[in-house]
């Protein structure tokens, strides 16, 4: 999984039918030192993360699992909201 | 998913037989200000996206999880057409202060 911060939301009425009803969040990928890595991505949110919250997300076809639907074209899903991180300086 | 803009279409007659009947659109990645970036992908359309529309593209094996792309050698599918992009104002302020 990867760490990210929710920086916004996407609204889309015309979309593939099995992903209706799920919120699509704009996520800025971060490393564990909270440094930005790469461009923001869009991740589906079944957890209910709020704007600005620190989250972690799964990518690839595993991202479809939290939706509990048979098939869905989703390659990133928020799977948890981070309470705290502690790391050894390496 | 990737944020992009539909900028064209690909026509191909000699192709993998599984791809017969698929519609290929060219999507150029855009940033949050919707400015075009360098990279483009060829994606199968599953929602009827039109030229110039801002769309979301799912990539990798998830792209095969639609009735349009099941069991096809496809790793990018357009699965949403963006109506609105809400960027959290706080983030924008932070960015402006950082730069």
């Amino acid at each position: 999984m990867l760490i990210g911060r929710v920086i916004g939301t996407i609204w889309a009425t015309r979309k593939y039918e099995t992903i209706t009803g799920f919120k699509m969040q704009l996520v800025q990928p971060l490393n564990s030192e909270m440094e930005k890595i790469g461009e923001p991505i869009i991740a589906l949110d079944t957890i209910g993360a709020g704007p600005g919250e620190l989250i972690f997300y799964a990518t690839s076809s595993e991202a479809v699992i939290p939706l509990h639907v048979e098939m869905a074209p989703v390659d990133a899903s928020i799977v948890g909201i981070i309470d705290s991180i502690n790391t050894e300086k390496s | 998913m990737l944020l992009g803009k539909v900028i064209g279409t690909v026509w191909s007659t000699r192709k993998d037989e599984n791809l017969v009947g698929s519609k290929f659109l060219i999507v150029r990645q855009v940033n949050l200000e919707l400015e075009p970036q360098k990279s483009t992908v060829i994606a199968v359309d599953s929602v009827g996206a039109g030229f110039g529309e801002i769309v979301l593209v799912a990539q990798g094996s998830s792209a095969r999880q639609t009735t349009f792309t099941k069991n096809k050698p496809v790793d990018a599918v357009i699965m949403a057409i963006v109506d609105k992009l809400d960027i959290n104002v706080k983030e924008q302020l932070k960015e402006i202060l950082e730069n």
Side-chain angles (χ1 to χ4, degrees):
Chain A
M1 279 65 76
L2 297 169
I3 299 172
R5 188 180 298 285
V6 176
I7 61 169
T9 307
I10 297 273
W11 307 96
T13 41
R14 288 174 293 161
K15 55 197 168 192
Y16 192 71
E17 65 271 13
T18 57
I19 64 168
T20 47
F22 293 103
K23 193 161 190 192
M24 294 193 276
Q25 305 270 38
L26 207 53
V27 171
Q28 169 61 58
L30 304 172
N31 66 11
S32 56
E33 272 82 45
M34 300 302 118
E35 291 150 349
K36 283 189 188 173
I37 309 173
E39 287 296 313
I41 56 116
I42 289 92
L44 228 66
D45 182 7
T46 55
I47 305 287
E53 285 205 284
L54 208 55
I55 54 97
F56 59 104
Y57 61 97
T59 60
S60 174
S61 46
E62 284 68 30
V64 180
I65 296 169
L67 276 66
H68 305 301
V69 290
E70 219 251 322
M71 271 200 322
V74 169
D75 64 10
S77 283
I78 294 175
V79 290
I81 298 173
I82 295 177
D83 296 328
S84 66
I85 292 180
N86 52 59
T87 55
E88 307 297 317
K89 267 279 165 270
S90 64
Chain B
M1 276 62 77
L2 186 72
L3 195 62
K5 182 174 189 162
V6 177
I7 60 166
T9 309
V10 165
W11 306 96
S12 162
T13 43
R14 282 172 292 132
K15 58 195 170 200
D16 182 288
E17 70 274 6
N18 288 313
L19 294 180
V20 170
S22 293
K23 192 177 158 209
F24 303 108
L25 294 181
I26 306 174
V27 179
R28 181 187 290 283
Q29 187 169 0
V30 293
N31 63 16
L32 298 188
E33 284 77 37
L34 305 186
E35 289 149 356
Q37 304 300 294
K38 279 232 170 354
S39 66
T40 62
V41 286
I42 293 177
V44 168
D45 179 19
S46 79
V47 281
F51 183 78
E53 292 203 283
I54 301 294
V55 295
L56 294 186
V57 175
Q59 294 183 290
S61 49
S62 310
R64 281 187 292 107
Q65 302 215 10
T66 74
T67 47
F68 296 87
T69 54
K70 199 166 194 310
N71 302 327
K72 292 187 177 176
V74 166
D75 67 358
V77 68
I78 295 173
M79 31 61 84
I81 298 168
V82 177
D83 298 330
K84 203 155 84 82
L85 186 71
D86 266 347
I87 296 175
N88 180 327
V89 174
K90 202 162 55 87
E91 282 307 312
Q92 263 171 338
L93 284 178
K94 222 177 348 172
E95 249 159 54
I96 294 164
L97 297 176
E98 270 161 21
N99 297 350

